[in-house]
Amino acid sequence: MVADRRDWTTVSFEEGREALKEWREEHARRSEEVVELWEHVLSRSPSSLADELCTVYEQVCIAALDCSRTDLAHECINALHKRFPGSSRVLRLQAMFYEARGQWKTAAGIYEKLIAADETNPGFRKRRVAMLLGQGKRLEAIKALNEHLESFITDSEAWLQLSELYLTESDYARAAHAMEEVLLTAPTNSIYLRRLADIRYSQGGQENVEVARAYYDQALKFSPADLRALYGVVLSCNCLVATARLTADKKKEYTTAAAAALQRIVERYESVESDAANPEEHSNIVEAVRGMEIH
């Protein structure tokens, strides 16, 4: 959903308060608007926020860092530090503040202390990974993620990040393994199924392409209108027919599956023809899809 483009400087205090609360509950990262609301509305009477004040300080601090407003972030951290000296949440914000200023060594030192003090908290380890990525240290980030997953093996977000990092290193086998771990926590997620299919297709070889085709089929069971999965079926079936040693029955199976997927793609394009912004271009796309060769 596209965020509302409104002038938050003119809303009432209660409207601003409710907006921040709603965004927190929805985990919406509307950083510029959060900063705008704080500076023009809520900061005029922070004491009126009562029990919400510290939560709002934290929300505004993170938003300020997103917007490169380290001055505002520093104000929020100081206010929180006065209330909760030595708090791990405040220390985490301080580390993020140093990250934003490029003071990586100082930030790393804080994260190491936080991890040593609470080894059961995955958030500190993941912030350390984010810091390494911010410095472009992909190999170190991969190592840190693997260490994190030794303790938090069901962290699907970490497995997903690890898969993406392995892809940047063209390590398709490890990227596929990481995506398989993600699927264990979300076996019906069509996007994850298709992503794993893409990785296995990219690995190449008959076995991997056959597995890719199976994952594309599975993705379509949960999301029948997924065009990328349909194209994946066409490409994987064509690849197998063209390069693999197949029995006549298997070749017919793949050819039929590719043709069926291609027909569904054409139908999808034709169904939106009347809404096309450029009818001529749309017509050319449909003709190009129709002309795709089925081996």
Side-chain angles (χ1 to χ4, degrees):
M1 184 177 67
V2 178
D4 297 333
R5 298 297 180 185
R6 61 178 295 186
D7 182 3
W8 291 101
T9 65
T10 60
V11 302
S12 68
F13 187 91
E14 280 306 313
E15 282 182 293
R17 181 179 191 169
E18 285 301 313
L20 287 191
K21 182 179 179 181
E22 180 182 341
W23 296 341
R24 287 197 304 273
E25 292 173 350
E26 293 177 352
H27 303 287
R29 196 96 167 207
R30 298 170 67 161
S31 301
E32 292 182 2
E33 292 163 293
V34 169
V35 169
E36 186 177 359
L37 263 175
W38 173 256
E39 291 197 312
H40 295 279
V41 180
L42 300 178
S43 63
R44 296 172 183 171
S45 183
S47 59
S48 298
L49 290 167
D51 294 340
E52 288 182 68
L53 179 58
C54 292
T55 304
V56 170
Y57 272 137
E58 187 174 16
Q59 183 179 10
V60 173
C61 179
I62 294 171
L65 291 174
D66 284 345
C67 299
S68 299
R69 287 289 309 278
T70 53
D71 57 327
L72 178 56
H74 192 255
E75 289 177 19
C76 294
I77 291 170
N78 282 342
L80 287 168
H81 181 69
K82 287 177 182 178
R83 286 172 174 259
F84 307 104
S87 163
S88 60
R89 290 180 68 165
V90 178
L91 284 172
R92 177 175 175 269
L93 291 174
Q94 286 182 331
M96 292 170 65
F97 171 80
Y98 288 122
E99 282 184 65
R101 297 182 63 178
Q103 295 174 258
W104 307 110
K105 188 174 181 179
T106 304
I110 294 175
Y111 287 132
E112 292 301 329
K113 289 180 182 178
L114 288 170
I115 292 168
D118 185 3
E119 295 185 354
T120 64
N121 190 321
F124 304 145
R125 297 172 185 268
K126 291 165 86 168
R127 279 308 314 168
R128 182 175 61 179
V129 172
M131 183 186 68
L132 290 170
L133 290 175
Q135 298 173 80
K137 298 179 178 179
R138 289 202 303 266
L139 294 179
E140 291 184 38
I142 287 172
K143 181 180 178 182
L145 268 176
N146 277 305
E147 290 174 356
H148 165 76
L149 287 164
E150 288 177 5
S151 301
F152 304 94
I153 196 169
T154 60
D155 188 341
S156 59
E157 185 182 62
W159 281 114
L160 186 60
Q161 178 71 76
L162 185 59
S163 178
E164 292 174 354
L165 288 174
Y166 278 134
L167 283 176
T168 63
E169 299 299 319
S170 299
D171 191 339
Y172 296 111
R174 287 189 172 91
H177 169 71
M179 276 307 304
E180 287 166 355
E181 293 291 339
V182 175
L183 274 174
L184 289 176
T185 62
T188 62
N189 187 308
S190 63
I191 295 175
Y192 294 160
L193 287 163
R194 190 188 69 218
R195 185 172 296 184
L196 180 53
D198 289 341
I199 295 170
R200 295 300 289 265
Y201 181 85
S202 299
Q203 279 184 273
Q206 181 176 347
E207 182 180 347
N208 283 318
V209 177
E210 286 177 342
V211 172
R213 184 263 169 122
Y215 277 121
Y216 285 128
D217 283 341
Q218 191 72 2
L220 287 167
K221 288 181 181 179
F222 299 109
S223 183
D226 189 334
L227 272 177
R228 287 180 59 181
L230 285 169
Y231 275 115
V233 171
V234 174
L235 292 173
S236 56
C237 287
N238 274 356
C239 179
L240 289 166
V241 171
T243 62
R245 293 182 179 179
L246 304 171
T247 63
D249 287 344
K250 206 67 176 174
K251 183 173 182 178
K252 182 179 179 182
E253 176 192 332
Y254 289 144
T255 303
T256 302
L262 193 57
Q263 180 59 34
R264 288 170 65 182
I265 293 171
V266 171
E267 289 171 358
R268 281 290 312 282
Y269 279 116
E270 289 179 337
S271 69
V272 297
E273 186 169 4
S274 59
D275 299 325
N278 188 328
E280 184 177 350
E281 181 180 350
H282 183 271
S283 179
N284 290 337
I285 292 173
V286 173
E287 289 305 313
V289 172
R290 283 196 182 118
M292 287 180 68
E293 182 181 357
I294 303 296
H295 298 285

